[in-house]
Amino acid sequence: MRLFSPSGGSRTPPAADAVAASGSGFRVLDQVRPAVEPGPAFRPVPAESTAEGLRAIFTPTRPRSLGPLFIGREDELKRLIAAIEEERAHVVLYGDRGRGKTSLANAFADLATDAGCLTVRRACGADTTYERLFRGLLAAVPPRLLDPGATGTAASLLPEGAFGPEDVADALGRVRGAHVVLLVDEYDRAESVPFRNAMAETIKTLSDQALPVTLLLVGVAASLDHLLGQQPSIQRNVVAIHVPPMQDVEVARLVAAGAGAAGMAFTADASAEVVRLVRGMPYYAHLLCLFAARAATARGARDVTAADVATAIAEAVRKQEPELGGVHARAEAVPGGAAALRAAAEAPRDADGRFAVSALPPAVAPVLAALARPENGPALIAHYTPGGLRYAFALPTLAHHVMFRAALMAAPNATATTVRDDKAATQ
C-alpha cells in the first residue's frame, strides 16, 4: 500500500473521519510549481492595505507552507516522498540557516496530510527533553486512530514520569489505519547527548518494528553527523537530505510570484540584482523584496526599480549591523581584509557554502589564512579537503553582509548616507 498516490487528485484536506484512508492522491510538480503571472490564486493586495499585504507575501521571518507562493524545491520534495513511500525510511533535513528547510518540511507535511497521513509538528528548544517532546507529539494522535479500547490520545498510553524509546514504540504500535508523520523542527537546538541518543534509539526501534510512523527531523547542520552524532546503527534507517541554496531561476520565480501577488512588478535590473545578491538564500530574497516593495510603495509606485533595491540593501545592512558590525570591522582591520572578504563573498561556493582558494587570486591566499585565525574572529573557517584547501564563512550571514555593503558602495545615491550611518552604528 502506497502512502501517496501519484495518480492525481485535488489538494483538498481529507475529512476528519477519512484521515486513515491511504492515498488521497496528488501531483507533486503540479502542486509545487505556481504560475508566475498574477491569477486567481494570487489575489493582488489592494493599495490601501499594501503594507500589511506585503508582510504576508514576503515573509523573511516566517516559513512557508504549500501554496501558490511556495517556489521550487521539487527535487527535494520528490526525494522526501520516495524516502518514505519507497524506502520506508526516516528523514533528516539539514543545511545552513535561511535555506528554507522549515518551509520545505511544511510543504511535505501538507502533501502528506492530503494523502491521508496524520502529520504532527513540534519544535525543539535548548531545554527540550525526550519526554516533553514525545508527550507533545503523541498528544496529537487522537483516540479514533488507536486500536479499540483506547480512550485518550496516544500520549495517555505513555508511562507517567520518565520513559524511553520502547515505550514510545509501544504507544505508536497501537495506531491503526493511518501513517503518522512526526515532524521535529529546530532539532539542532536540543544539544543534550542523552536526548540525541534516545532519538537515535527511537529511530532504530520504530524501524525494527516496521511501525507506520515516520520521524522527520529538521535542523541547521553541515552534515548528518552534526545532528545525529556517530550513530552507525541507524544509518540504514535514515535518509539524509541536504537542502542546498535555491537555483537562480527559482529565486527569480520567487521575486516574480511575490510581486504578482502584491499587484506589483520588479523591473528586470531590480530582479537581477536581488538574484545576484541573495546567492540562492530564500531568507534574503524575501527580506530584500519586502524592503524594496515597501520603498516603491512609499513613493507611490507599483514598479520596483534598482533604486528601490538599493534602499532595501541599506535597510538590510542596518538590520544586520548589531550582529555583524563588530566581526566585520575586525576582519577589515586585517591588512587586505576588505578586498579578501569581498572576493570570498563573491567566490563560487559549493552546496556546503565553501569556496576553493584556487578560485581566487593568489595574492588573497595569505589574507584568507589570517582571517581564519581566532584573533580575527575568526571570519573564515579552513577546510582541508581531498580537492584542496577550502574556506567557509564562520558566520554564513557575514558573506551576505559583505556583499550588501559592496553593493551599497556601488550605488551612488545611497553610498554616502548609508556608509556614514553604518559607521555611527558601530561606534
Side-chain angles (χ1 to χ4, degrees):
M1 178 182 295
R2 293 172 67 83
L3 298 179
F4 308 115
S5 168
S7 59
S10 62
R11 191 177 181 277
T12 303
D17 58 355
V19 174
S22 176
S24 64
F26 67 91
R27 297 184 298 274
V28 177
L29 298 185
D30 290 349
Q31 298 295 345
V32 175
R33 184 185 295 118
V36 173
E37 296 300 323
F42 286 101
R43 295 177 183 165
V45 178
E48 63 271 16
S49 62
T50 297
E52 179 180 353
L54 290 175
R55 287 194 296 270
I57 292 166
F58 296 116
T59 57
T61 60
R62 300 196 310 277
R64 286 271 186 216
S65 294
L66 196 63
L69 296 180
F70 181 87
I71 304 297
R73 300 306 191 194
E74 290 110 338
D75 289 343
E76 288 79 13
L77 272 173
K78 287 191 290 187
R79 184 69 187 97
L80 261 167
I81 292 166
I84 296 172
E85 188 173 78
E86 299 171 11
E87 302 169 50
R88 297 295 193 265
H90 302 277
V91 180
V92 176
L93 284 180
Y94 69 96
D96 278 346
R97 196 175 304 280
R99 291 188 179 183
K101 297 180 297 298
T102 299
S103 295
L104 173 59
N106 286 347
F108 170 77
D110 289 342
L111 289 172
T113 298
D114 291 353
C117 297
L118 174 68
T119 58
V120 182
R121 301 172 175 87
R122 297 285 285 187
C124 289
D127 59 348
T128 294
T129 64
Y130 182 83
E131 290 82 2
R132 184 186 304 172
L133 175 65
F134 276 97
R135 285 196 193 279
L137 289 169
L138 270 59
V141 181
R144 60 184 172 78
L145 294 184
L146 303 177
D147 59 17
T151 57
T153 68
S156 67
L157 304 176
L158 295 169
E160 294 183 5
F163 57 84
E166 289 289 346
D167 301 304
V168 170
D170 287 345
L172 290 171
R174 297 182 65 178
V175 172
R176 295 292 180 265
H179 191 97
V180 179
V181 177
L182 305 178
L183 196 170
V184 182
D185 199 5
E186 299 187 57
Y187 186 73
D188 55 291
R189 296 186 62 196
E191 298 180 350
S192 164
V193 173
F195 172 84
R196 297 216 177 172
N197 289 340
M199 290 296 290
E201 188 61 31
T202 301
I203 290 173
K204 185 176 187 305
T205 303
L206 295 176
S207 298
D208 289 347
Q209 297 186 23
L211 296 180
V213 178
T214 295
L215 271 173
L216 173 54
L217 308 182
V218 184
V220 176
S223 71
L224 180 63
D225 286 347
H226 287 168
L227 278 182
L228 295 184
Q230 296 291 337
Q231 300 284 353
S233 63
I234 65 168
Q235 293 297 322
R236 64 184 178 85
N237 306 127
V238 172
V239 169
I241 300 178
H242 180 247
V243 181
M246 294 178 72
Q247 300 176 15
D248 285 353
V249 66
E250 293 177 326
V251 176
R253 283 169 51 202
L254 184 157
V255 174
M264 306 180 76
F266 278 65
T267 63
D269 54 348
S271 177
E273 182 70 345
V274 171
V275 171
R276 181 184 75 85
L277 288 173
V278 305
R279 298 292 295 267
M281 300 294 276
Y283 165 77
Y284 286 108
H286 281 275
L287 187 71
L288 291 185
C289 285
L290 175 62
F291 289 164
R294 281 179 178 172
T297 301
R299 58 184 180 81
R302 308 301 285 173
D303 287 335
V304 182
T305 67
D308 296 318
V309 174
T311 300
I313 295 167
E315 288 296 319
V317 169
R318 281 191 282 270
K319 176 180 174 65
Q320 292 179 320
E321 198 64 33
E323 176 190 0
L324 299 173
V327 65
H328 182 265
R330 288 194 299 274
E332 280 203 326
V334 174
L341 278 177
R342 180 169 180 178
E346 296 177 348
R349 300 177 213 157
D350 60 22
D352 295 317
R354 301 179 300 186
F355 59 91
V357 175
S358 58
L360 300 179
V364 175
V367 185
L368 297 178
L371 291 172
R373 294 178 189 139
E375 62 269 22
N376 295 321
L380 303 176
I381 298 175
H383 297 271
Y384 297 92
T385 71
L389 177 60
R390 304 180 78 86
Y391 286 97
F393 278 84
L395 295 173
T397 50
L398 180 60
H400 284 87
H401 191 66
V402 170
M403 290 188 67
F404 291 170
R405 290 178 66 96
L408 285 182
M409 295 299 294
N413 293 333
T415 299
T417 301
T418 302
V419 172
R420 190 163 54 246
D421 289 347
D422 291 343
K423 286 183 177 179
T426 59
Q427 291 175 351

